[in-house]
Amino acid sequence: MKVKLDENISAVAKDLLAEFGYDADTVADEGMAGVSDPHLFKTCQVEQRLLITFDIGFGDVRVYPPAQHAGIVLLRLSDQQPQATLDVLRRVLLSQDLAQLDRSLCVVTEDRVRIRHS
């Protein structure tokens, strides 16, 4: 499973994803910092990568219909510090196979995971 971390996610999360066997790229590593959401979305579609982001715009299923992508994990955390984010991501990775999120919007809070399939 291939994953792309948006620029608002700590690059340390790439190592965490690798621990769980995922092929992760970061927006920053690819020199895509500051690109528009539609451009990032299109790149994820072409690369068939699930996107992990804090950007609530990606939660709009009218603009980013689940049937048109490899999955979006939208983190809705009150504490977005790197360690808090890693803790929540680790919990998600222990409970979810990201491959099962293909064509889904997954909204993650500190205490809940909601999945909307296509």
Side-chain angles (χ1 to χ4, degrees):
M1 175 77 193
K2 298 187 294 185
V3 177
K4 186 170 302 292
L5 297 170
D6 202 352
E7 64 187 314
N8 51 18
I9 306 292
S10 170
V12 179
K14 182 177 177 178
D15 296 332
L16 176 63
L17 287 159
E19 287 177 33
F20 282 83
Y22 296 105
D23 171 11
D25 281 345
T26 69
V27 168
D29 286 346
E30 296 179 339
M32 295 178 60
V35 300
S36 68
D37 289 354
H39 181 82
L40 176 56
F41 181 73
K42 184 64 174 172
T43 299
C44 289
Q45 285 178 301
V46 169
E47 296 176 0
Q48 297 180 352
R49 289 189 181 272
L50 174 139
L51 176 65
I52 300 177
T53 185
F54 279 114
D55 187 337
I56 61 171
F58 284 108
D60 188 341
V61 296
R62 296 166 300 174
V63 178
Y64 304 106
Q68 295 181 6
H69 55 74
I72 294 173
V73 174
L74 176 60
L75 302 176
R76 301 286 299 172
L77 309 178
S78 57
D79 182 355
Q80 297 181 4
Q81 295 300 313
Q83 189 56 55
T85 300
L86 287 175
D87 291 345
V88 170
L89 276 177
R90 182 177 302 282
R91 180 176 50 92
V92 170
L93 293 169
L94 288 169
S95 66
Q96 299 286 326
D97 175 3
L98 296 185
Q100 298 300 315
L101 299 178
D102 185 40
R103 301 182 185 283
S104 298
L105 169 64
C106 177
V107 179
V108 177
T109 63
E110 283 86 358
D111 60 352
R112 199 164 118 165
V113 174
R114 293 175 302 173
I115 302 170
R116 180 175 180 167
H117 299 282
S118 61

